[in-house]
Amino acid sequence: MKWLTDEEQSAWRAFLHATTLLEDHLDRQLQRDAGIPHMYYALLSTLSETPGRSMRMTELAEQTKITRSRLSHAVARLEGNGWVRRENCPTDRRGQVCVLTDEGFAEVERTAPGHVTAVRAAIFDRLSPEQTRQLEEISRVIAEGLHHPASADVPWQR
Amino acid sequence: MKWLTDEEQSAWRAFLHATTLLEDHLDRQLQRDAGIPHMYYALLSTLSETPGRSMRMTELAEQTKITRSRLSHAVARLEGNGWVRRENCPTDRRGQVCVLTDEGFAEVERTAPGHVTAVRAAIFDRLSPEQTRQLEEISRVIAEGLHHPASADVPWQR
DNA sequence: TGTGATTTATTGAATATTCAAGAAATTCGT
DNA sequence: ACGAATTTCTTGAATATTCAATAAATCACA
């Protein structure tokens, strides 16, 4: 059993603290300004940057790294707000396309500046360009490792 | 209004993906192996490393960066598992001391190896020592900025 | 073509988190 | 010492997330 070195332990603690505080902070900021959690905003934002402002459910779940179940619940809620609507997928009758409404797009436009400011203030105004590059690379490595988890590629488990 | 540069946007996206996937991964791992979410494990782990294996509620909330309300609910649940118990604080009758039980300590000992392995596999086995140092420094900067939020220090808002 | 496996998306129940409110004890300022 | 303000912790309701199960459509391929 290989434990964490002192350096790793201390880095892990710092990382946990940073991510816990950041999530909490952004959730609060967006809950206050838009009435939705951060992840819901990320859905709207992702759709707003997509050609056609729409995406298949599974594709949207993959891009935002959340489960389909979570996405279904979230989209149901956002649909209630009138910020998103579902349409049948023309090429696959199992599929649903999640479409950002004009109201949803307007909501992103309205709240984006405040959100970006919060992200800047919490992160990029505090990091050097070099650190920003480092953070991106480190994040890529971690995400890469989790996106193709070993266990999911073991044939005999399926 | 100052937007994010391309480098910042791309770093932000990568960071969000990494943290979302990581949280999800660790929650699943601990839910499977210990029946509790990652944050609950962090509470037990923090207590297990504290002299006396006990801590005031507020202190525990601060160390783990969660709200007191969340901690109250979490401790109530862990108390139900028999892994923690509450005692009255001898020096402040408002206070409660959260004590890790022997069963709770045993549970940490039992599940720590699997958890550490998961953390290593996701993060430290993939990062160079240099990147580990970078991650710690970046995390410190971010956490530092959020722990003393400007708005909380503005007297006329209180 | 037909059939079993897979993919897509949703649902409801169980669990977790947030938020606002509140009770009790302590501290502050005079 | 007194009352107002603060701190500590909890609670219940509203919301969000996970998990397992499900239905429907498509795919793989003999």
Side-chain angles (χ1 to χ4, degrees):
Chain A
M1 170 65 212
K2 195 174 163 194
W3 293 91
L4 299 187
T5 66
D6 287 352
E7 291 78 19
E8 287 167 344
Q9 270 192 54
S10 133
W12 173 230
R13 225 185 329 263
F15 181 64
L16 249 195
H17 289 176
T19 53
T20 304
L21 289 169
L22 184 62
E23 257 209 294
D24 196 62
H25 180 67
L26 294 181
D27 266 339
R28 252 182 249 287
Q29 186 263 318
L30 278 161
Q31 194 68 54
R32 177 165 47 75
D33 295 353
I36 53 178
H38 178 216
M39 189 53 78
Y40 286 33
Y41 175 86
L43 296 174
L44 299 180
S45 171
T46 299
L47 287 172
S48 77
E49 292 168 358
T50 301
R53 291 178 191 165
S54 64
M55 210 180 283
R56 282 286 296 273
M57 293 294 282
T58 291
E59 167 82 359
L60 185 51
E62 279 167 3
Q63 292 229 357
T64 52
K65 314 297 177 194
I66 64 177
T67 63
R68 282 191 279 255
S69 171
R70 188 176 176 182
L71 180 61
S72 275
H73 288 293
V75 165
R77 203 273 216 193
L78 292 172
E79 201 169 26
N81 287 35
W83 293 342
V84 130
R85 70 171 180 278
R86 285 155 155 122
E87 288 178 2
N88 293 324
C89 175
T91 63
D92 185 339
R93 276 186 301 175
R94 294 169 301 183
Q96 291 283 100
V97 178
C98 184
V99 185
L100 187 67
T101 63
D102 291 344
E103 291 77 16
F105 187 75
E107 182 65 12
V108 173
E109 285 201 306
R110 187 180 73 74
T111 52
H115 175 59
V116 170
T117 298
V119 171
R120 287 201 71 83
I123 306 182
F124 298 109
D125 285 348
R126 301 176 179 278
L127 299 183
S128 67
E130 177 61 16
Q131 285 179 311
T132 296
R133 277 187 290 276
Q134 293 167 359
L135 179 60
E136 172 164 1
E137 179 57 21
I138 290 167
S139 298
R140 276 194 199 296
V141 170
I142 295 174
E144 169 67 18
L146 293 169
H147 198 266
H148 302 296
S151 66
D153 285 325
V154 181
W156 47 264
Q157 279 194 350
R158 289 187 269 163
Chain B
M1 170 67 210
K2 196 174 164 194
W3 293 91
L4 300 186
T5 65
D6 287 353
E7 291 78 19
E8 287 166 345
Q9 269 192 55
S10 137
W12 173 230
R13 225 185 329 263
F15 181 65
L16 249 195
H17 290 174
T19 53
T20 303
L21 289 169
L22 183 63
E23 257 210 295
D24 197 63
H25 181 68
L26 295 181
D27 266 339
R28 250 182 251 288
Q29 185 264 318
L30 279 162
Q31 193 69 53
R32 176 164 48 75
D33 295 353
I36 53 177
H38 178 218
M39 188 53 78
Y40 287 32
Y41 175 87
L43 295 173
L44 299 180
S45 171
T46 299
L47 287 172
S48 78
E49 293 168 356
T50 301
R53 291 178 192 166
S54 63
M55 210 180 281
R56 281 284 297 274
M57 294 292 283
T58 293
E59 168 82 0
L60 184 53
E62 279 166 3
Q63 293 229 357
T64 52
K65 313 297 177 194
I66 64 176
T67 63
R68 281 192 282 257
S69 171
R70 188 175 175 182
L71 179 62
S72 276
H73 288 294
V75 165
R77 203 273 217 191
L78 292 172
E79 201 169 27
N81 287 35
W83 293 343
V84 129
R85 71 170 180 278
R86 286 156 155 122
E87 289 178 1
N88 293 323
C89 175
T91 63
D92 185 339
R93 277 187 298 176
R94 292 168 303 183
Q96 291 284 100
V97 179
C98 184
V99 185
L100 188 67
T101 63
D102 290 344
E103 291 78 14
F105 187 75
E107 181 65 12
V108 173
E109 285 200 308
R110 187 180 73 75
T111 52
H115 175 59
V116 170
T117 298
V119 171
R120 286 202 71 84
I123 306 183
F124 299 109
D125 284 348
R126 299 175 180 277
L127 299 183
S128 67
E130 177 60 17
Q131 285 179 311
T132 297
R133 276 187 292 276
Q134 293 167 359
L135 179 60
E136 171 164 2
E137 178 58 20
I138 290 167
S139 298
R140 275 195 200 296
V141 169
I142 294 173
E144 168 68 19
L146 293 168
H147 199 268
H148 302 294
S151 65
D153 286 325
V154 181
W156 47 263
Q157 279 196 348
R158 286 188 268 163

